[in-house]
Amino acid sequence: MDTPQAVDTTDVIVVGGGTGGYSTALRAAALGLDVVLVERDKVGGTCLHRGCIPSKAMLHAAELVDGIAEARERWGVKATLDSVDWAALVTTRDDIVARNHRGVEGHLAHAGVRVVRGSARLTGPRSVRVEGVQEGAQGGVRQDGATGASGRPAPGVRDLSARRGIVLATGSRPRTLPGLTPDGRRVVTSDDALFAPGLPASVLVLGGGAIGVEYASFHRSMGAQVTLVEAADRLVPLEDADVSRHLTRGLRKRGIDVQAGARLLDAEVLDDGVRAQVRTARGEVRTVEAERLLVAVGRVPVTDGLDLAAAGLTTDERGFVVPADWRRLETAVPGVHVVGDLLPPPSPGLAHASFAEGLLVAETLAGVVSAPVDYAAVPRVTYSSPQTAAVGLSEAEARARGHEVEVNSMPLTAVAKGMVHGQGGTVKVVAEAGGGQVLGVHLVGPHVSEMIAESQLIVGWDAQPDDVARHVHAHPTLSEAVGEAFLTLAGRGLHQQ
């Protein structure tokens, strides 16, 4: 039986080493606090190892494949694609992940954050027990632990206590559906899809949110026949309706069978794939056969084994840990804070929001006055082809909140660079009527993920169209369309639509 070590008292204990956890740890250490970060897998979490980074690496490869077709069909460049070397693609993807992982570990080590590898459970409002501890030097991260007779770290138990507080950052996992057990081959979650063997010739994607759309886009670029099923009446249903419309049109133009307002009735796993029954929005029942079924119907918070009750904490009916004070992301138990995917809306469950939450909590624990996270100004991006990017309120949300709004849309092809890219797309601005505050900006088209930062500042700083119209955008760029949309709202437009 493992014997607990003496209690290790520190300033801050962070449970979970994903984006929210390690950003909290790094900022707290920079502010002079002694920090212990507990992680049972690898620092970096879902985003680095199973989500954001590897998926975007694969989507970049998909963009290159699409570029070959565009070069041949549109520009007269007689390029051909012989095949995709899946093993080489995976090697490059994994190298990018590994280098980022080493970078995170190096930052933690340089900051003096102590990393404990094991499974944490709360034993009180300021105490944590870590079980199955396997510690030692790994990738430069400072890891402390008891050693056996050989002098090498041995598995064990570690008791920790925090003077300032505990930060819960244990993240989320893919939601599954009853009767559909992921096997990593025929039925996969968004986490599994990155590591499933080879490239399937056909895929049925369940879920038309950002993750499902991205995977549908990737597999189509790689030559698969793709059916995308979303239960809501439109794709990316949390985004502006015009974003959904333009995205759906773009995906269908690429040959993806988009079925919005549809439901999976049944699915049978076969030796060589899956056979599913899908009820369409028109009430028709269709049989869809595919080599792979990818379930992307959302994510659920991870609190398994955390023993929240030992610290006096509970979750809501959805499994989220709800803060009592959103300005500090502090729970009803003083000194216990929450960041990342454990938080319910309005936290959007996005890695970059987790970074902001981590900074806020670290500064709060250090006694530094810090502004709460402005969730309305957190950008939302779907890295499909076409891409979508948005910040602030949709037109429907703005009207529902009682705003009298003025809306302007500008096609990307209204500017020369948009014609060069030839992929269509649009800019939509939602502002208070009469030249008032900009409430939301919504983009669809090529590279809009790189264009949204400007709009984040516009919405976050409560700018008005006239404020933006004073600034000159470089020519020729896609971002000129953003400038033109604001010029038009300010009554100075050159390319009125």
Side-chain angles (χ1 to χ4, degrees):
M1 180 177 178
D2 292 326
T3 302
Q5 308 299 311
V7 175
D8 182 351
T9 300
T10 185
D11 290 326
V12 178
I13 302 169
V14 180
V15 182
T19 52
Y22 77 71
S23 61
T24 305
L26 288 172
R27 182 59 180 146
L31 291 169
L33 300 182
D34 185 30
V35 183
V36 172
L37 173 63
V38 184
E39 170 56 52
R40 64 185 178 188
D41 189 7
K42 297 178 180 179
V43 292
T46 295
C47 179
L48 176 52
H49 298 286
R50 298 176 296 279
C52 319
I53 305 307
S55 66
K56 275 48 179 187
M58 295 170 71
L59 284 162
H60 177 67
E63 185 179 7
L64 296 175
V65 170
D66 292 338
I68 293 172
E70 181 188 353
R72 180 181 63 253
E73 296 168 8
R74 186 163 183 250
W75 295 100
V77 178
K78 303 304 180 183
T80 58
L81 175 66
D82 294 330
S83 63
V84 174
D85 186 335
W86 179 248
L89 189 157
V90 166
T91 297
T92 301
R93 177 200 71 194
D94 291 349
D95 177 63
I96 292 168
V97 170
R99 284 190 285 139
N100 276 274
H101 180 217
R102 290 193 297 270
V104 173
E105 288 188 321
H107 287 313
L108 291 167
H110 180 74
V113 174
R114 291 181 288 157
V115 177
V116 176
R117 286 285 302 279
S119 297
R121 65 180 176 87
L122 300 173
T123 54
R126 294 292 178 92
S127 58
V128 172
R129 172 165 288 187
V130 188
E131 299 171 321
V133 177
Q134 297 182 6
E135 303 172 301
Q138 180 183 18
V141 181
R142 178 185 170 191
Q143 298 191 349
D144 300 331
T147 58
S150 66
R152 299 181 63 186
V157 177
R158 187 78 168 272
D159 285 323
L160 307 170
S161 68
R163 287 182 287 264
R164 299 288 184 100
I166 293 174
V167 182
L168 303 179
T170 48
S172 64
R173 62 170 174 263
R175 185 187 302 276
T176 55
L177 294 174
L180 276 179
T181 303
D183 60 12
R185 184 165 172 264
R186 296 303 181 198
V187 179
V188 298
T189 67
S190 55
D191 281 5
D192 304 326
L194 291 167
F195 309 102
L199 288 167
S202 54
V203 182
L204 168 59
V205 179
L206 294 182
I211 294 175
V213 167
E214 288 177 1
Y215 275 109
S217 180
F218 169 79
H219 283 97
R220 183 59 189 146
S221 295
M222 294 297 171
Q225 293 298 313
V226 179
T227 302
L228 176 58
V229 174
E230 167 56 41
D233 61 359
R234 57 189 177 87
L235 298 184
V236 290
L238 298 181
E239 299 298 343
D240 189 271
D242 285 329
V243 168
S244 297
R245 179 170 56 84
H246 281 277
L247 173 64
T248 300
R249 184 169 61 190
L251 294 176
R252 284 177 171 159
K253 186 177 179 180
R254 296 181 56 207
I256 295 175
D257 180 10
V258 177
Q259 294 294 328
R263 293 188 178 274
L264 178 72
L265 300 178
D266 183 45
E268 178 185 5
V269 179
L270 311 173
D271 290 339
D272 59 350
V274 294
R275 180 184 297 122
Q277 303 296 316
V278 175
R279 185 183 300 278
T280 69
R282 296 181 177 181
E284 303 166 346
V285 177
R286 289 181 47 190
T287 298
V288 180
E289 295 189 356
E291 285 189 20
R292 189 169 293 164
L293 172 60
L294 198 163
V295 181
V297 291
R299 300 182 67 86
V300 294
V302 172
T303 55
D304 313 55
L306 198 52
D307 197 3
L308 294 171
L313 296 168
T314 60
T315 63
D316 69 6
E317 66 280 1
R318 299 163 295 177
F320 293 112
V321 179
V322 183
D325 183 353
W326 278 92
R327 295 168 301 173
R328 298 160 52 92
L329 298 180
E330 188 171 25
T331 68
V333 178
V336 180
H337 298 255
V338 190
V339 299
D341 290 359
L342 287 186
L343 288 167
S347 178
L350 299 171
H352 44 285
S354 298
F355 282 128
E357 291 161 352
L359 293 174
L360 168 62
V361 168
E363 290 165 1
T364 297
L365 290 168
V368 175
V369 177
S370 185
V373 178
D374 182 3
Y375 289 112
V378 174
R380 309 175 300 275
V381 178
T382 303
Y383 296 85
S384 53
S385 177
Q387 294 183 355
T388 77
V391 62
L393 301 178
S394 68
E395 180 180 354
E397 287 172 333
R399 294 187 188 280
R401 296 188 186 189
H403 295 282
E404 185 178 347
V405 301
E406 189 172 357
V407 175
N408 185 47
S409 295
M410 181 68 59
L412 291 186
T413 50
V415 298
K417 195 66 180 294
M419 296 180 191
V420 171
H421 283 281
Q423 297 177 31
T426 192
V427 175
K428 179 176 180 178
V429 178
V430 180
E432 290 182 330
Q437 176 185 337
V438 177
L439 302 172
V441 180
H442 309 273
L443 313 177
V444 183
H447 307 298
V448 295
S449 59
E450 303 294 343
M451 294 166 57
I452 196 61
E454 172 187 18
S455 297
Q456 176 190 0
L457 295 176
I458 292 168
V459 171
W461 282 343
D462 300 335
Q464 298 177 353
D466 190 58
D467 297 326
V468 185
R470 300 173 191 170
H471 298 281
V472 179
H473 288 73
H475 173 79
T477 61
L478 289 171
S479 63
E480 278 185 283
V482 176
E484 281 288 343
F486 282 103
L487 279 166
T488 300
L489 280 176
R492 302 174 60 199
L494 299 177
H495 300 86
Q496 302 280 353
Q497 295 298 313

